[in-house]
Amino acid sequence: MDTRSNSHSLAFEVTHRLVLSIAIPMTLGFLTTPLLGLTSTAVVGHMGDPEALAGLAIGAMLFDLILGSFNFLRASTTGLTAQAYGRRDQHEQQAVFARALISALGCGLALLCLSPLLRAAGLRLMGAEGAIAEATATYFSIRILAAPAALANYAILGFVLGRGQGGVGLLLQALINGINILLSIYLGLSLGWGVAGVAWGTLAGEVAGALAGLFIVLSGFARAERPAWPEILSRHRLAELFALNRDILIRTFVLIGAFAIMTRIGTGFGAVTLAANAVLMNFFLLSGYYLDGLANAAEQITGRAVGAHYRPAFDRGLKLTTLWSFGLAAIVSAFFLLAGPWLISVLTTSPEVRQAAGAYLPWAAVTGLTGALAFLMDGVFIGATWSVDMRNRMLMSFAGYLAMLAVFVPLFGNHGLWLAMNAFLLFRGFFLAMLVKPRADQTFRAAQ
């Protein structure tokens, strides 16, 4: 076969509209997540039981940690699906989805089996006792039942994103979080179930999302392209998937560790500074929602270009997603610098915390800018499935972060802590960006 002729037949145009058709829906979908957290907190808060509210907070954080560790299911599925989509290989797209779904359900069932141990470890880790521990255990025991559905939703979301179906991704995110919010309010407040009601609402949302997602995905499959079980369970393909998942998992754990270290060091500066840092981290998290949306666009376009063996689409996609990432990052950073004092006053009523947060505001405001390249490069490397490079460069960035902490925290205190975090974001972006051209040259040359 003439590869150049085949590449030409698989060519596609990358436009601003294509980038935004993926980025905007996913950003909107991600923005429903904090609404969910606020609703859960408000529902339990209105019960007038501070122990229940503390138990909910601990339980929710444990699930953020546990389920967040399995984000590789979403990322790897997006990259592999996008490449098969770029090749217009519907047969392999179905196989990728089947492998991802089997992996997700297997991991979910494993979490169910390990739930007593995970619950006990979580309670011990957080030091929860008495009524707080009881509320956490209630929430955990109900919500863990949703683990298979929650992880299946990762695989489903990864698949639809790999095909560039941002609208479907938004629909599913809105369905999951919408049902969760409505049932949490009804069960938790109207029926007075409190923490248990919130947990059952979450369970219902995840299950409804998984069922709807499976219906949408499976109804789009052509029977003639259905892969046989030996193909789905191919040792080579499974090894490829597990290696990709392993690298992304290591990268995720290192990232979680970096933020955990920041919180731990911040604790040593006292309650006021710790609270100020917690308030300011909301600015970084908000920046992360739109950066994640653009990273999703980069994943799909990059993976599709690699699958199609079409370098012009890769280069154009990289250029446009970079333009949008830094443009929006600059706007959001300027907004936080100007509106930051007002936002801080909304988030906390403590004069001491407001004053401390104001002092460190500039560091938090620019995290969108310093992190823009890191988010974007993660998307590029996931889409191209250059996972070994992403893992190794994350480890290099983490080493640089630890060095910055060792030097600047003793010199500048909490200013040094925020300086190190911004440097960590910059390291992640630039260390990966240095590899893009040589890896792209290698990938597309091998395809010729």
Side-chain angles (χ1 to χ4, degrees), residues 80-392:
L80 293 173
T81 301
Q83 292 185 18
Y85 182 71
R87 294 192 300 272
R88 299 180 188 171
D89 186 346
Q90 296 184 22
H91 188 80
E92 181 59 19
Q93 288 177 52
Q94 291 193 35
V96 167
F97 180 71
R99 293 183 200 110
L101 188 61
I102 291 170
S103 299
L105 293 176
C107 291
L109 291 173
L111 288 178
L112 275 180
C113 294
L114 295 172
S115 60
L117 294 175
L118 292 171
R119 182 180 62 227
L123 291 172
R124 186 174 295 111
L125 175 67
M126 301 309 299
E129 298 177 348
I132 295 177
E134 183 179 346
T136 301
T138 297
Y139 180 84
F140 190 98
S141 299
I142 297 170
R143 187 173 172 185
I144 194 66
L145 298 174
L151 297 185
N153 283 324
Y154 282 5
I156 293 166
L157 181 61
F159 181 79
V160 299
L161 285 179
R163 290 174 53 84
Q165 298 171 314
V168 175
L170 171 59
L171 172 65
L172 293 176
Q173 290 295 104
L175 178 66
I176 293 168
N177 292 333
I179 290 176
N180 192 336
I181 289 171
L182 292 175
L183 283 182
S184 293
I185 294 172
Y186 176 68
L187 298 176
L189 275 182
S190 300
L191 298 187
W193 292 7
V195 170
V198 171
W200 283 114
T202 303
L203 171 64
E206 295 287 3
V207 171
L211 292 176
L214 284 172
F215 175 78
I216 291 171
V217 170
L218 295 179
S219 63
F221 284 166
R223 185 181 296 271
E225 297 292 343
R226 184 175 298 169
W229 281 107
E231 295 175 90
I232 293 172
L233 301 178
S234 160
R235 180 177 299 180
H236 169 70
R237 293 296 191 182
L238 288 175
E240 178 185 48
L241 177 63
F242 291 151
L244 186 58
N245 286 340
R246 176 203 64 211
D247 295 334
I248 298 173
L249 178 62
I250 292 171
R251 168 255 181 201
T252 301
F253 277 147
V254 173
L255 188 59
I256 291 172
F259 288 107
I261 289 172
M262 181 179 182
T263 301
R264 180 66 186 86
I265 293 175
T267 303
F269 296 135
V272 171
T273 300
L274 181 62
N277 286 349
V279 168
L280 293 174
M281 278 303 294
N282 286 289
F283 296 172
F284 173 65
L285 294 175
L286 286 171
S287 299
Y289 289 124
Y290 74 80
L291 290 175
D292 261 337
L294 285 161
N296 290 154
E299 288 175 32
Q300 200 278 334
I301 294 169
T302 297
R304 184 180 175 185
V306 169
H309 309 319
Y310 189 55
R311 179 67 179 267
F314 179 93
D315 293 337
R316 176 71 173 168
L318 181 61
K319 178 181 178 180
L320 293 189
T321 51
T322 300
L323 177 67
W324 279 105
S325 292
F326 278 98
L328 290 174
I331 293 171
V332 173
S333 292
F335 171 76
F336 283 144
L337 283 171
L338 295 173
W342 175 77
L343 292 172
I344 290 169
S345 69
V346 170
L347 293 170
T348 178
T349 58
S350 168
E352 295 85 357
V353 175
R354 285 180 176 179
Q355 182 178 2
Y360 305 117
L361 171 62
W363 293 112
V366 299
T367 52
L369 270 175
T370 56
L373 190 59
F375 278 80
L376 179 64
M377 287 296 106
D378 277 351
V380 170
F381 278 69
I382 287 171
T385 60
W386 299 332
S387 61
V388 173
D389 292 320
M390 186 171 66
R391 178 199 68 197
N392 293 343

